[in-house]
Amino acid sequence: MEPTMNEEAIQKLRENRSFVIRQARMSPHQKRAYERLAPQYCVPFEGQEDRGPLDWESLFERTGARRILDIGFGMGLELAELAQAHRDTDFLGVEVHKPGVGRLLGQIEERELTNVRVVRYDAVVVCHQLIPRATLDGVHLFFPDPWPKKRHHKRRLVRPGFPELVAPLLTPTGYFYTVTDWEDYALQMRHVLDESPVLRNRYGDRFAPPQEWRPQTAFERKGLEKGHQIFELVYERQDLGDRA
Ligand SMILES: C[S@@+](CC[C@H](N)C(=O)[O-])C[C@H]1O[C@@H](n2cnc3c(N)ncnc32)[C@H](O)[C@@H]1O
């Protein structure tokens, strides 16, 4: 069968990866946390990408909780903070950077969080193959790598195909939230997301006002120190009809 436009765009997202695996230098604390806690809190995915969609209820051992996906959580402190403040919500964090995963696992233990699980893998593949459709109340993408050089723009996560990857995962009232301190990436994201028929900008065609619920992130602090402005975007799912 010929791939559809959406599948082609998603395939391109998978090929031009939005990350580089950095040298995984872990502190002894992160390493110990990783080895001890990964079996308990990480969802095995590498080597079993065709395992089929996740069963949320058995993963978190409860029903009825809200569900948030955090893409590229970095060191995970903000994710841990949100999870601690919203114990009625289940959080799935996706990150490729092993020390960051180790750090978040340590936070899960220190803060006694029962509502966080982690996947160490490319979020594009996770969204495509692991997350069941229409099950997420929110998707968070805090300070995605900006890939500032023009020849690297094709590695930016939010580009054509990304809305079609994420929107079907949202419940009818679910939202997609992103924030960046890179103005030209912010403008590109707003363009790509506004153009997509599967998402609707909650603030017309404008950036969102500062969202009080979001903790300040490490990358945000670095951006502010450089005098950068912060740009936030919030989208809702548009009815996909029989394309869902
Ligand atoms: C600029 S950092 C931002 C970290 C954090 N969200 C913050 O605001 O401080 C971007 C993170 O996204 C991760 N990342 C980029 N592309 C990814 C992908 N396709 N799947 C999983 N993680 C990814 C990177 O490893 C990096 O840790």
Side-chain angles (χ1 to χ4, degrees):
M1 217 168 38
E2 285 289 297
T4 62
M5 279 287 283
N6 284 353
E7 282 164 357
E8 257 175 53
I10 291 171
Q11 191 54 35
K12 285 219 172 74
L13 281 177
R14 290 181 67 151
E15 284 162 13
N16 297 312
R17 299 198 309 186
S18 61
F19 57 89
V20 278
I21 301 282
R22 285 166 279 159
Q23 190 65 30
R25 194 181 287 272
M26 295 174 91
S27 70
H29 180 70
Q30 286 164 356
K31 199 160 182 281
R32 275 197 305 277
Y34 192 91
E35 281 162 10
R36 201 162 42 78
L37 302 171
Q40 203 177 338
Y41 297 108
C42 285
V43 179
F45 190 55
E46 188 169 356
Q48 39 182 302
E49 293 83 355
D50 294 324
R51 49 163 274 169
L54 193 71
D55 177 347
W56 287 105
E57 292 175 1
S58 60
L59 182 64
F60 288 96
E61 298 173 339
R62 63 174 171 176
T63 56
R66 282 166 48 77
R67 297 177 187 129
I68 301 288
L69 178 74
D70 186 324
I71 297 177
F73 57 74
M75 299 312 265
L77 294 181
E78 304 76 34
L79 171 52
E81 209 175 301
L82 279 175
Q84 187 167 7
H86 302 278
R87 291 193 181 257
D88 58 341
T89 301
D90 290 334
F91 290 83
L92 184 66
V94 187
E95 175 57 68
V96 288
H97 188 48
K98 196 170 175 185
V101 173
R103 186 79 196 276
L104 177 59
L105 291 171
Q107 288 285 311
I108 292 175
E109 186 172 57
E110 270 167 43
R111 298 180 193 233
E112 300 182 351
L113 302 174
T114 55
N115 55 339
V116 180
R117 298 290 183 279
V118 183
V119 189
R120 184 162 72 86
Y121 209 78
D122 182 351
V124 171
V125 185
V126 170
C127 287
H128 199 204
Q129 291 180 214
L130 187 65
I131 309 294
R133 287 171 162 241
T135 59
L136 292 173
D137 295 285
V139 174
H140 295 170
L141 176 64
F142 298 167
F143 298 90
D145 290 304
W147 293 104
K149 292 187 181 140
K150 200 163 175 98
R151 69 172 191 280
H152 287 151
H153 283 187
K154 61 175 187 283
R155 302 188 68 157
R156 287 176 165 177
L157 196 53
V158 180
R159 59 193 142 97
F162 181 84
E164 290 71 20
L165 181 70
V166 163
L169 309 180
L170 298 174
T171 65
T173 55
Y175 66 88
F176 168 68
Y177 170 85
T178 190
V179 53
T180 182
D181 62 319
W182 282 84
E183 184 168 7
D184 87 303
Y185 192 15
L187 291 167
Q188 178 196 318
M189 290 202 281
R190 193 179 66 182
H191 177 71
V192 167
L193 297 163
D194 279 358
E195 285 291 296
S196 165
V198 295
L199 290 170
R200 180 180 43 242
N201 188 333
R202 188 177 284 176
Y203 297 94
D205 54 3
R206 295 190 303 278
F207 289 107
Q211 304 288 300
E212 302 298 334
W213 55 266
R214 183 178 56 78
Q216 196 180 55
T217 87
F219 279 83
E220 180 170 19
R221 277 188 290 280
K222 284 186 206 159
L224 289 170
E225 275 163 25
K226 289 183 203 146
H228 292 181
Q229 198 183 331
I230 305 299
F231 300 89
E232 299 181 66
L233 288 163
V234 185
Y235 287 80
E236 288 156 11
R237 181 180 164 160
Q238 292 256 45
D239 186 11
L240 302 174
D242 47 13
R243 281 173 297 156

